[in-house]
Amino acid sequence: MNAPETSLAVPAEAELAIARSLSTDLPGVPYAVQGARFWVRMSVTALCWQGDILQAVEVISRLVDNGVRHGMPADVPKDERRLVLSAAVAETGELLIDVSDLNPAFPDFDRAVAGEKGRGLWQVARLGARIIRFLPHEGAGKTVRAVLPPGPVNPYA
């Protein structure tokens, strides 16, 4: 497993050259996970990503679940809670899945990725994703990015 990125500055990996991308907003509520699963399945197909779509679906499920559980400040009214999802194919063929929430804090990010604090990000890493986090150029909150390599579909994953 790769070591997680600990800086909140936009890491060089977050600046990969993008060939194609799509994004959407979802409400920051538990049923957003189901919407994210549907959205990413259609998006990676439309983006012509050459990788395991079911892997991407599992990754976004965990990232959105984390965003809903931990990325919505308590002082934000429920009708204003939202997540921004983005899927992009880099010129390298990698799939970049971004989930941006409203909370810039992410205490114990390294421990979360290592599975010492919760299991969501640890499971994303076990699915073969590199995980980074950064503060977006615009707006409040943070972005958690999973980078998945292209390649043949593993029917046993």
Side-chain angles (χ1 to χ4, degrees):
M1 179 177 356
N2 294 330
E5 177 66 43
T6 58
S7 171
L8 284 180
V10 178
E13 185 170 354
E15 299 295 334
L16 290 171
I18 303 299
R20 300 172 298 281
S21 67
L22 294 169
S23 64
T24 192
D25 288 0
L26 288 178
V29 296
Y31 70 79
V33 173
Q34 183 178 9
R37 292 175 65 89
F38 177 75
W39 179 84
V40 81
R41 186 181 292 266
M42 292 185 48
S43 295
V44 297
T45 301
L47 293 170
C48 301
W49 179 56
Q50 300 298 310
D52 188 335
I53 293 174
L54 293 178
Q55 181 184 27
V57 169
E58 290 305 314
V59 165
I60 204 164
S61 296
R62 286 164 175 79
L63 293 182
V64 168
D65 184 60
N66 274 0
V68 168
R69 290 174 186 253
H70 309 294
M72 299 296 126
D75 62 340
V76 175
K78 289 187 179 187
D79 63 337
E80 294 179 21
R81 295 179 184 187
R82 64 177 183 77
L83 297 170
V84 178
L85 312 182
S86 298
V89 176
E91 289 181 355
T92 60
E94 293 172 303
L95 178 66
L96 288 63
I97 297 174
D98 290 354
V99 176
S100 300
D101 61 39
L102 301 174
N103 186 355
F106 197 139
D108 300 324
F109 175 77
D110 296 338
R111 290 182 58 219
V113 173
E116 297 169 6
K117 184 177 180 187
R119 293 286 185 234
L121 291 184
W122 177 78
Q123 290 172 332
V124 170
R126 299 277 298 164
L127 286 164
R130 292 188 318 273
I131 307 164
I132 59 174
R133 68 178 172 134
F134 54 92
L135 298 176
H137 293 294
E138 299 176 3
K142 69 178 165 303
T143 298
V144 176
R145 172 174 286 174
V147 182
L148 292 169
V153 174
N154 178 0
Y156 304 106

